[in-house]
Amino acid sequence: MVQNNLRRFKAEVFQALAHPTRIAVVEALRHGEKSAGQLIEELQLEQANASQHLAVLRSKQLVVNRKEGNQVFYSLRDPNLIKVLDVLKRYFYSHLSQTMSMLEEIRNEEAHKNK
Amino acid sequence: MVQNNLRRFKAEVFQALAHPTRIAVVEALRHGEKSAGQLIEELQLEQANASQHLAVLRSKQLVVNRKEGNQVFYSLRDPNLIKVLDVLKRYFYSHLSQTMSMLEEIRNEEAHKNK
DNA sequence: TGCGAAGATTCGAAGAATAGAATATACTAT
DNA sequence: ATAGTATATTCTATTCTTCGAATCTTCGCA
């Protein structure tokens, strides 16, 4: 029972990370806080869209925010989150060739869509 | 560009893990391979549903399978995957109180639905 | 007070993910 | 061949996600 809820919780964290934009945000915050505006600029996002993704990250508590005047600064709630991404990176590298072919596939899908 | 595809790729891996059942499967495979049937029994899943979730894990290459006669044995493609989960566990523990309240929330939602 | 900037929220449409039911496939043993 | 067991696939209804457009809120400043 507890096991089950714990898994649901883990699933929610993964869910929060299951979008390229949100991964980009987390990576952008790796070395410290940034304002919503900075993130939008740096990652070339639409304002509303960025705000929505930030809301997801907030709701799953992967990031925390702090208001300062007109701006809202975001930072990672926990540096261990970066470790999760780093371990994942190692996971990729240990299967480079397969990773590559998967990327290739993604690229092809892309090319397909744009026709 | 490459950055972007890489993030998409990471997102796909997280997506694959973004379901309690699939997390349960990965955890169940932590110490070695198991047949689909064993997983179904151990995790109390419906056959079709289990098969669908396994298909997701396969398609993202988190697991590999091996046929032996009538049965199909699954195992993790890479032990680093377990490390990802382990790091995540550490992540939980470093925020135990918040984790608890989140679990509490999940439980409440649950109670709500079952009314 | 009123205006502009920074963010957040809400809404509707489109697409993706999920569960279960039914069906299909592949093997084994008779 | 036939039946039975293990697993996969397909279909459908439902729910969840995502996006952009529009709207709101809050703060700072003239």
Side-chain angles (χ1 to χ4, degrees), chain A:
Chain A
M1 262 306 149
V2 170
Q3 276 290 354
N4 234 323
N5 278 331
L6 195 53
R7 272 187 215 121
R8 282 228 270 155
F9 183 26
K10 289 184 191 177
E12 286 196 7
V13 172
F14 285 126
Q15 174 63 45
L17 292 171
H19 193 286
T21 300
R22 293 194 294 265
I23 290 184
V25 169
V26 170
E27 288 178 348
L29 296 178
R30 168 188 275 260
H31 297 301
E33 72 173 13
K34 285 185 178 156
S35 72
Q38 278 180 284
L39 289 170
I40 287 170
E41 151 111 45
E42 195 175 317
L43 305 176
Q44 299 272 53
L45 305 174
E46 294 236 346
Q47 189 273 319
N49 193 234
S51 215
Q52 287 170 16
H53 282 302
L54 287 170
V56 172
L57 291 172
R58 252 184 293 129
S59 78
K60 302 299 165 52
Q61 313 211 40
L62 302 198
V63 302
V64 293
N65 60 344
R66 162 178 89 74
K67 273 167 221 198
E68 184 179 319
N70 222 359
Q71 290 169 291
V72 179
F73 288 88
Y74 282 91
S75 55
L76 299 182
R77 194 190 54 158
D78 185 332
N80 278 314
L81 192 56
I82 282 296
K83 281 199 207 140
V84 175
L85 288 174
D86 282 349
V87 172
L88 193 60
K89 201 172 292 174
R90 223 168 305 148
Y91 173 77
F92 293 146
Y93 287 142
S94 62
H95 291 276
L96 243 197
S97 64
Q98 276 160 293
T99 303
M100 296 289 268
S101 66
M102 221 166 174
L103 284 174
E104 190 58 31
E105 230 169 83
I106 289 176
R107 206 160 331 182
N108 287 342
E109 277 168 35
E110 195 68 345
H112 233 288
K113 274 183 204 159
N114 295 342
K115 268 185 192 164

